[in-house]
Amino acid sequence: SQTIHQWPATLVQPVGSPLSLECTVEGTSNPNLYWYRQAAGRGLQLLFYSVGIGQISSEVPQNLSASRPQDRQFILSSKKLLLSDSGFYLCAWSVLTGGAKGNTEAFFGQGTRLTVV
Amino acid sequence: GDSVTQMEGPVTLSEEAFLTINCTYTATGYPSLFWYVQYPGEGLQLLLKATKADDKGSNKGFEATYRKETTSFHLEKGSVQVSDSAVYFCALCDTGFQKLVFGTGTRLLVSP
């Protein structure tokens, strides 16, 4: 069965420090991978998505970046964190499950609570 | 770009009341539509989905019909339970099955 691992679960970082959040997926090949940020009152904001190794699409210009060094690994990074980067970060994956139009479903990790102080 | 608009919450209901959570979308082509649910202290999980116009997704007593003419995918349940208290997210996936976009979420509170 497929599983998704996201770590760490919680993180407190000072302003200006770097960030690296990692997400790995097991049990599937060539998934679409996503990074979301969930902020109170703002729902789920899509930050980045990737359809293959080295392919990253950015949805929101900001001081975050993403990389996909391996098929099932997705990393969210920052060189210098801002206070506004605080939030709950979720990694997700999806694959087409067949059919003429496809029937993709996304599966989410448990999330990382980031507090920038 | 693609987007999803949900009604603002919280929605507060008594047990056995009828539930409607509105969702409308903007997208090019023919997106797939989803409802996800996030129970307290848990991650997001798929509730139901519909991939083409007039499809009805259903699960756990919840239903939503893909209405292309009104670009809507409203979530309904005939009789809610306390255990349905959660945050509900409407989402769409673009025609190319690449980008998954969520609404802001609607919190549902059901009291006994």
Side-chain angles (χ1 to χ4, degrees):
Chain A
S1 63
Q2 304 93 346
T3 56
I4 179 169
H5 302 282
Q6 187 181 340
W7 68 92
T10 59
L11 190 61
V12 180
Q13 291 284 100
V15 169
S17 64
L19 172 73
S20 181
L21 301 181
E22 188 162 343
C23 172
T24 60
V25 180
E26 296 177 358
T28 188
S29 298
N30 197 30
N32 289 352
L33 296 172
Y34 308 86
W35 276 112
Y36 291 89
R37 178 165 56 202
Q38 186 175 17
R42 297 189 61 185
L44 278 171
Q45 181 185 33
L46 179 62
L47 303 176
F48 301 94
Y49 68 98
S50 171
V51 301
I53 297 174
Q55 300 178 60
I56 309 295
S57 297
S58 174
E59 289 296 299
V60 183
Q62 56 204 331
N63 71 320
L64 297 172
S65 62
S67 61
R68 185 171 177 173
Q70 300 179 44
D71 181 43
R72 290 170 288 180
Q73 183 184 29
F74 205 26
I75 299 172
L76 182 68
S77 305
S78 173
K79 292 182 180 178
K80 289 185 178 181
L81 284 169
L82 306 173
L83 285 174
S84 57
D85 291 325
S86 294
F88 190 59
Y89 291 83
L90 285 162
C91 180
W93 70 272
S94 71
V95 290
L96 290 175
T97 54
K101 189 171 186 280
N103 218 3
T104 188
E105 172 182 347
F107 299 88
F108 285 82
Q110 291 302 301
T112 296
R113 174 73 60 191
L114 172 66
T115 304
V116 182
V117 296
Chain B
D2 297 345
S3 66
V4 175
T5 302
Q6 282 181 246
M7 61 189 291
E8 295 226 5
V11 173
T12 304
L13 295 173
S14 297
E15 207 165 21
E16 299 183 2
F18 184 86
L19 168 71
T20 299
I21 300 178
N22 290 338
C23 170
T24 57
Y25 67 89
T26 301
T28 55
Y30 302 92
S32 295
L33 301 174
F34 307 84
W35 277 101
Y36 281 80
V37 59
Q38 187 176 32
Y39 297 104
E42 298 184 15
L44 275 83
Q45 54 186 281
L46 180 68
L47 179 61
L48 54 83
K49 59 188 174 185
T51 58
K52 62 183 187 296
D54 299 326
D55 266 3
K56 178 184 283 187
S58 61
N59 185 26
K60 298 181 181 180
F62 291 88
E63 292 184 341
T65 302
Y66 190 144
R67 301 288 188 199
K68 193 172 187 332
E69 64 276 12
T70 55
T71 62
S72 65
F73 193 53
H74 304 321
L75 182 68
E76 296 181 336
K77 187 174 185 182
S79 176
V80 294
Q81 305 300 312
V82 173
S83 58
D84 293 327
S85 298
V87 181
Y88 292 83
F89 293 90
C90 186
L92 70 81
C93 193
D94 64 359
T95 306
F97 301 104
Q98 311 286 29
K99 192 165 67 172
L100 189 58
V101 177
F102 285 80
T104 54
T106 302
R107 182 174 298 278
L108 170 65
L109 301 170
V110 180
S111 56

